[in-house]
């Protein structure tokens, strides 16, 4: 087994170039290794992992987003938000899952981005977006004025009503 000291600059310099590598296996491995060898708080880590977000393989983009979770910075959050718009469902799902850990509670930009993904064509992305909303929303949050609630039929849910299959009924 190869042992590398955290913060070893020559290793970091070499590995930091690899998230752009044309071979997706090399790029994915680099994305997995970087957070383990770069000193905590090193601002360069986000830019190196973000290089993986530009890779042609969705597998590398997903791994890059998952690796951002350990960074916990506004730059990491912005990079993960960009993943919500990726053409591949696995990347959008990874972005929603990462943002559930990265985003601050009540972040209106994240809530807005997650709401868009609730209409995603992929059911796993929709589930991840819903989990993201649950993690980020503040108790008592309401949709913006003039916005729609997240009810299943596109109509606002009246106070005292509950949705059920085939429609709704008043409960109070």
């Amino acid at each position: 087994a190869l042992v590398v000291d955290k913060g070893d600059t020559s290793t970091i310099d070499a590995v930091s170039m690899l998230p752009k590598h044309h071979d997706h296996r090399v790029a994915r491995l680099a994305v997995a290794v970087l957070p383990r060898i770069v000193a905590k708080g090193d601002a360069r880590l986000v830019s190196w992992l973000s290089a993986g977000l530009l890779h042609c393989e969705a597998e590398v983009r997903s791994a890059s987003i998952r690796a951002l979770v350990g960074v916990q910075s506004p730059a990491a959050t912005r990079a993960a938000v960009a993943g919500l718009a990726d053409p591949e469902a696995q990347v959008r799902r990874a972005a929603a899952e990462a943002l559930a850990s990265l985003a601050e509670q009540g972040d209106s930009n994240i809530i807005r981005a997650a709401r868009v993904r609730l209409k995603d064509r992929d059911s796993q992305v929709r589930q991840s977006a819903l989990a993201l909303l649950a993690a980020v929303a503040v108790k008592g949050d309401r949709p913006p004025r003039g916005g729609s609630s997240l009810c299943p039929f596109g109509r606002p849910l009246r106070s005292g009503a509950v949705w059920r299959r085939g429609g709704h009924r008043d409960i109070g």
Side-chain angles (χ1 to χ4, degrees), residues 39-122:
K40 189 171 181 92
D42 189 328
R44 299 174 300 170
L45 182 57
V46 174
S47 68
W48 293 329
L49 292 174
S50 294
L53 297 174
L54 303 174
H55 201 277
C56 63
E57 293 289 333
E59 206 174 298
V60 176
R61 296 192 306 273
S62 297
S64 296
I65 289 172
R66 284 191 296 278
L68 288 168
V69 171
V71 179
Q72 295 292 331
S73 74
T77 303
R78 285 191 299 275
V81 168
L84 288 174
D86 195 274
E88 294 294 329
Q90 78 179 67
V91 179
R92 295 191 305 275
R93 186 173 62 247
E97 291 167 357
L99 284 166
S101 295
L102 288 168
E104 291 187 26
Q105 195 171 25
D107 185 326
S108 61
N109 292 326
I110 303 298
I111 292 170
R112 228 180 343 272
R115 288 183 69 191
V116 169
R117 288 295 119 212
L118 290 174
K119 297 176 184 173
D120 198 279
R121 64 187 171 276
D122 185 274

Side-chain angles (χ1 to χ4, degrees), residues 3-24:
V3 177
V4 177
D5 291 327
K6 195 167 194 117
D8 178 356
T9 56
S10 62
T11 304
I12 291 170
D13 290 343
V15 176
S16 68
M17 303 303 287
L18 296 176
K20 300 181 238 178
H21 198 276
H22 68 277
D23 185 334
H24 68 93

